[in-house]
Amino acid sequence: MSTEISARVPRRVVTGIRDGKSVFVSDGAVPNAHLHQSIPGFMTSVCWATPSQLSLPLDRGDPSLRGISIPPAPGETRLMIVQFPPDSVMADPSFDPVAADAEQHQYLPGLAELFEREAPGMHTTDTVDYDVVLEGDIWLELDDGAEVHLRQGDVAIQCGTRHAWRNKGTSPATMAFILIGATRP
């Protein structure tokens, strides 16, 4: 690829309760983060996950380790930080869509299978998502081609819609996604 775009794995601080006291359980890089080799500048990370029935204090296991299904089941949640490189990365002649697809299937289980082959990037999940632009600019595209341009600090609420994220700019865009599993009739 002719464009070099770096991505940074987010830091995650987890607190808990031990012997009735608040403590820091961990502080370090998100363990379930991946810097995609086939899509330079694309970074995905699952920072945390909760089950459908949540009680405190949480056990000491990490609920967001690699292999977890990205789309949560009804009532479950996922917190993700994703950096999107400019779309020009995928337009580069050296871009290999087969390698990108394989890498996404390995590191985005349950989500990669939802990406539509005939409409790259388009997908639908059975979730309500709170999507926050942390840095950069990104465009949210819906199934009828309608788009909205989002900037740093903007929030989109996805309600189970078919959509794609497009970075039409020249710089990476970083987003936080809180996915809440839902059911469809």
Side-chain angles (χ1 to χ4, degrees):
M1 301 265 167
S2 61
T3 306
E4 277 300 314
I5 300 169
S6 63
R8 183 180 72 81
V9 171
R11 175 183 177 195
R12 182 186 75 175
V13 176
V14 179
T15 66
I17 301 170
R18 289 196 187 130
D19 301 323
K21 299 280 188 188
S22 298
V23 297
F24 292 105
V25 175
S26 65
D27 180 351
V30 171
N32 187 358
H34 182 68
L35 303 169
H36 292 250
Q37 298 302 305
S38 61
I39 310 172
F42 184 45
M43 185 280 306
T44 57
S45 64
V46 180
C47 302
W48 200 253
T50 61
S52 61
Q53 297 295 314
L54 188 59
S55 62
L56 296 173
L58 298 176
D59 69 17
R60 295 181 187 182
D62 190 329
S64 58
L65 294 177
R66 189 168 160 212
I68 187 173
S69 175
I70 302 301
E76 293 181 346
T77 69
R78 303 287 183 270
L79 168 60
M80 295 185 69
I81 303 292
V82 177
Q83 179 178 292
F84 295 93
D87 288 353
S88 60
V89 168
M90 280 71 77
D92 189 284
S94 64
F95 177 69
D96 182 349
V98 173
D101 183 62
E103 192 170 14
Q104 288 182 12
H105 275 80
Q106 182 176 0
Y107 292 98
L108 298 173
L111 180 61
E113 294 80 2
L114 300 176
F115 288 116
E116 301 173 13
R117 290 195 185 280
E118 64 284 350
M122 294 299 282
H123 61 287
T124 308
T125 57
D126 292 339
T127 60
V128 171
D129 305 342
Y130 306 155
D131 309 329
V132 182
V133 182
L134 300 175
E135 185 174 21
D137 292 56
I138 198 152
W139 285 255
L140 172 56
E141 178 184 338
L142 299 183
D143 61 7
D144 63 357
E147 293 182 331
V148 66
H149 179 194
L150 300 167
R151 294 173 182 84
Q152 182 176 358
D154 289 346
V155 175
I157 309 300
Q158 285 278 16
C159 298
T161 56
R162 181 176 176 258
H163 68 282
W165 295 100
R166 310 286 186 205
N167 183 347
K168 298 179 182 187
T170 58
S171 300
T174 304
M175 297 190 66
F177 295 96
I178 296 95
L179 291 75
I180 304 163
T183 58
R184 289 185 191 268

